[in-house]
């Protein structure tokens, strides 16, 4: 099981309990309700590739120079 956390935002993924041949992605967009969706292994791989690509681009876009403190 893998979890990415920031504050109260959680994303988790695991093999679906009912069928065992799908991947369940669980997200908590706010503190009120968990959201679940079942996707195929191919869709899960595609989603993982897109997340990795976005993470790599975010690192490239991140400033390596510290910002000035507010005056």
């Amino acid at each position: 099981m893998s979890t990415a956390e920031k504050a109260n935002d959680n994303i988790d993924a695991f093999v679906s309990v009912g069928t065992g041949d799908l991947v369940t992605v669980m997200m908590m967009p706010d503190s009120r309700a968990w959201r679940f969706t079942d996707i195929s292994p191919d869709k899960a791989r595609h989603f993982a590739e897109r997340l990795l690509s976005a993470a790599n681009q975010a690192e490239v876009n991140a400033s390596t120079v510290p910002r000035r403190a507010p005056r």
Side-chain angles (χ1 to χ4, degrees):
M1 198 176 293
S2 174
T3 304
E5 296 183 25
K6 179 181 179 186
N8 290 330
D9 297 332
N10 296 314
I11 299 174
D12 208 346
F14 48 89
V15 175
S16 301
V17 175
T19 62
D21 61 348
L22 295 175
V23 174
T24 297
V25 179
M26 177 178 69
M27 295 165 279
M28 183 184 240
D30 56 40
S31 297
R32 295 182 307 224
W34 289 96
R35 307 277 188 225
F36 295 87
T37 187
D38 290 332
I39 58 178
S40 70
D42 276 347
K43 291 285 185 186
R45 285 185 195 93
H46 182 70
F47 182 49
E49 288 172 6
R50 291 177 62 193
L51 284 173
L52 183 57
S53 176
N56 290 338
Q57 188 62 48
E59 285 181 341
V60 167
N61 293 344
S63 173
T64 58
V65 178
R67 294 185 178 173
R68 286 182 153 180
R71 294 182 181 184

